[in-house]
Amino acid sequence: MQSSPSIMTIDAIDEKLIAALRENGRASTAELARRVGRSRTTVQSRIERLERSGVIAGYTARLAPDHAHGAVRVHVMIKIGPKEARAVEAALRAIPQVRLLHSVSGDYDMIAIAATATVAQMDEVLDRIGHVAGVERTTSSIILSTKFDR
């Protein structure tokens, strides 16, 4: 399990650097230096500091939505029973089509993002989520398109 980042001060240059890395994690140090208005050495030092402190936890390839998430993606709002959060989280973690799980405030306790290749498969996943012990109610919304993803 990954440890949480240590508390460190992030300034405007760090923010610009992080934003540039989010847009293109494969950008060269020279390109990043141009984007943030600092030298390559300074940018490399800042990246290393952000990695050491855990602010930057890693790098990954971002795929096109149809390849990364499946053809059908859904937000599932989940209402759970009292003191059931850990058990529900563990059960949802065991469902490979559940790609992301958030704990939230409001009428629902969690929001899951699920992805499958077909609507029929999604129907099965939604039934499976609804039958998890501790889940009281779900409401789902199919994601039609993603306007941007940072």
Side-chain angles (χ1 to χ4, degrees):
M1 190 158 131
Q2 210 164 266
S3 63
S4 61
S6 59
I7 297 175
M8 66 171 281
T9 303
I10 296 178
D11 63 17
I13 301 301
D14 291 332
E15 291 288 348
K16 287 172 76 175
L17 181 56
I18 290 167
L21 285 167
R22 280 186 175 141
E23 285 181 31
N24 182 2
R26 294 187 66 193
S28 68
T29 306
E31 172 62 24
L32 294 169
R34 280 191 293 280
R35 299 263 320 260
V36 301
R38 294 294 186 267
S39 72
R40 288 189 332 212
T41 305
T42 298
V43 166
Q44 186 61 44
S45 295
R46 284 177 177 260
I47 290 171
E48 289 170 1
R49 179 177 51 87
L50 291 166
E51 290 171 344
R52 269 193 321 274
S53 67
V55 172
I56 294 177
Y59 300 89
T60 187
R62 273 193 356 214
L63 303 178
D66 286 347
H67 293 286
H69 305 295
V72 181
R73 294 175 295 146
V74 175
H75 285 182
V76 185
M77 285 74 71
I78 303 166
K79 178 72 176 166
I80 60 174
K83 300 183 182 182
E84 297 284 349
R86 286 187 187 184
V88 169
E89 177 186 344
L92 294 176
R93 188 180 299 274
I95 302 173
Q97 296 85 356
V98 175
R99 302 288 174 89
L100 189 64
L101 182 63
H102 298 286
S103 173
V104 297
S105 62
D107 292 336
Y108 291 90
D109 302 298
M110 296 178 173
I111 298 176
I113 309 297
T116 62
T118 67
V119 172
Q121 289 171 344
M122 183 58 71
D123 191 35
E124 292 173 15
V125 169
L126 292 174
D127 284 346
R128 190 169 169 193
I129 292 170
H131 287 99
V132 167
V135 170
E136 293 182 351
R137 180 175 78 244
T138 65
T139 300
S140 57
S141 298
I142 292 176
I143 300 169
L144 299 176
S145 68
T146 299
K147 301 305 183 187
F148 65 86
D149 179 358
R150 294 190 179 147

